[in-house]
Amino acid sequence: MTRDDSNWAKPVKTLELSDRDGAINANVRGRRLNAANGGFGRLSQKTFSVRIGREVTPQTVITTWKARFGDFWPKGQRMFLPATGIAPGEVGVINASIPGAPTMATGVLVIYADDVSFSFMSPEGHPFAGPLTFSAQSDESGITVAQVQELTRASDPFWELAMMVPVLGERMQNDIWRATLRNLAKHFGVDATVESKIVVVDSRRQWRNAKNIWQNAAIRSGLSAPLRLIRRS
Amino acid sequence: MAMTESTAPVRYRDGTAVVDLPAQIDASAERTLNEAYATAAGHGSKTVLLNFGRVEFLSSTGIALVVGILARARKDGRTITASGLSDHYREIFEITRLADFMKIYADESAALKGGEAT
């Protein structure tokens, strides 16, 4: 057994989920994970980082981030986690507002967690395919830096087009992490600028994965919205 | 961001740069890994083999570092391969789907011969 054994989730074929109170628990159960190579759009490597200061340790940042993950998201985005919180193998349900559309339901699998980092993988239908890593570390001068790193593609042609729409695309794919890191820093009393580094690693679209659109969480959430309203009434 | 001493010596065999990864791959290995890739790239090797034989701890930040190297190699037109992964790390490569981006071989000799990955 290696030292990181308990930090990693066991491989799963499909996601399992018990309903989360107050959440739209759709587009998660039975979904397979979708890696970057299973996505459609351009492959981008992104790093967003914020300097939080010397007073707070990386461990404190990650403990707080894990405990209050959804609180640091911008308004309209919600994460529903089990009581065990962000732990390897747990599934988080995401309910996200998209301008002019019903709330989109999707999720993530926590694939890794330790005291200075944690990672998610997205399932089919999620806007992005690929891993997301959240971490905190001390730089050479002892300043704690919090980071979000991803290597992702838009999952399908719908999301790829959405990401190309001025303002909306930037808001959906990048501003969410800039806002999250700003809010995280603010929690520790720091008003800091978030630095972004975005590199397009592969500008080709993967047309063989265009069929992913059948699993698109926004389209499926939109189609099932009237049914949910009927059930509620 | 280095906190822990780590080394990743680079060897050259049959036109391949072999990087012996350190025992611990997490945030503390960032500089080590980047320098090792730069050394391999500077040598002009078209293939870089990441030897995981010594690795005892791999965090998600470490995976992000490996992903960073993959991204750089892709841009540079280099091929990244891997060898020496224990069953546990093969499992991690399966979860993170890193295997989609690089061929994985049982050991260094198999990697240097090329051909079908395991």
Side-chain angles (χ1 to χ4, degrees):
Chain A
M1 183 184 279
T2 46
R3 286 186 289 132
D4 55 41
D5 237 16
S6 58
N7 301 126
W8 287 97
K10 296 293 169 207
V12 291
K13 289 235 183 294
T14 56
L15 296 186
E16 289 175 15
L17 175 73
S18 48
D19 282 357
R20 303 282 144 71
D21 287 345
I24 302 169
N25 294 283
N27 305 318
V28 178
R29 195 175 290 118
R31 292 283 191 279
R32 291 173 302 183
L33 294 177
N34 201 8
N37 249 14
F40 170 79
R42 295 181 302 175
L43 180 66
S44 299
Q45 185 196 15
K46 302 179 183 181
T47 305
F48 304 96
S49 59
V50 68
R51 291 155 69 89
I52 294 181
R54 288 190 174 83
E55 284 72 35
V56 188
T57 64
Q59 286 80 1
T60 302
V61 169
I62 292 300
T63 302
T64 307
W65 206 350
K66 282 200 270 193
R68 302 187 51 190
F69 187 83
D71 296 346
F72 299 125
W73 264 0
K75 205 177 160 198
Q77 320 297 315
R78 297 184 70 190
M79 169 75 93
F80 298 84
L81 286 157
T84 39
I86 291 177
E90 296 294 359
V91 172
V93 173
I94 296 169
N95 287 180
S97 68
I98 300 174
T103 299
M104 176 188 69
T106 181
V108 287
L109 174 72
V110 181
I111 58 166
Y112 182 92
D114 67 17
D115 58 348
V116 288
S117 67
F118 55 98
S119 281
F120 297 158
M121 279 288 281
S122 52
E124 297 165 313
H126 189 284
F128 299 104
L132 265 169
T133 296
F134 307 85
S135 62
Q137 56 209 47
S138 297
D139 70 7
E140 284 99 346
S141 54
I143 291 174
T144 295
V145 179
Q147 274 191 334
V148 179
Q149 293 166 289
E150 60 175 83
L151 181 75
T152 53
R153 293 181 191 272
S155 293
D156 62 45
F158 175 93
W159 288 124
E160 180 73 347
L161 271 175
M163 301 313 160
M164 290 163 70
V165 174
V167 185
L168 175 72
E170 189 65 9
R171 182 176 153 188
M172 280 190 65
Q173 58 183 332
N174 300 326
D175 285 351
I176 184 170
W177 300 126
R178 291 188 187 111
T180 298
L181 287 171
R182 256 196 314 273
N183 292 339
L184 180 68
K186 259 188 206 156
H187 173 81
F188 292 106
V190 178
D191 193 8
T193 306
V194 175
E195 289 172 28
S196 314
K197 187 180 171 197
I198 299 171
V199 180
V200 176
V201 178
D202 179 8
S203 57
R204 289 166 297 186
R205 270 100 191 178
Q206 303 205 113
W207 286 98
R208 67 176 185 277
N209 296 329
K211 61 183 184 303
N212 290 350
I213 200 161
W214 292 109
Q215 301 286 351
N216 185 290
I219 295 173
R220 283 178 174 254
S221 299
L223 292 173
S224 60
L227 278 176
R228 284 199 304 275
L229 281 175
I230 292 166
R231 273 190 212 130
R232 249 188 256 159
S233 60
Chain B
M1 308 251 171
M3 238 75 55
T4 311
E5 273 303 312
S6 65
T7 59
V10 184
R11 300 176 280 119
Y12 302 96
R13 286 186 65 191
D14 305 337
T16 296
V18 182
V19 179
D20 294 317
L21 295 172
Q24 183 161 327
I25 307 182
D26 57 9
S28 68
E30 182 174 8
R31 180 177 290 173
T32 305
L33 260 62
N34 287 336
E35 284 176 358
Y37 177 77
T39 304
H43 189 265
S45 303
K46 278 303 199 185
T47 303
V48 178
L49 170 64
L50 302 178
N51 174 17
F52 281 79
R54 295 195 299 168
V55 177
E56 293 170 0
F57 183 91
L58 177 62
S59 73
S60 59
T61 311
I63 287 287
L65 294 177
V66 174
V67 163
I69 287 178
L70 279 170
R72 283 169 68 186
R74 205 166 170 135
K75 272 198 111 62
D76 297 348
R78 277 193 184 81
T79 304
I80 300 284
T81 56
S83 71
L85 284 110
S86 64
D87 289 346
H88 171 61
Y89 290 125
R90 277 180 180 264
E91 211 171 80
I92 289 169
F93 270 49
E94 190 188 320
I95 299 168
T96 55
R97 306 287 175 88
L98 268 183
D100 290 353
F101 292 95
M102 62 173 109
K103 282 188 172 177
I104 298 168
Y105 295 92
D107 52 42
E108 193 172 313
S109 335
L112 293 173
K113 276 183 202 151
E116 281 305 298
T118 54

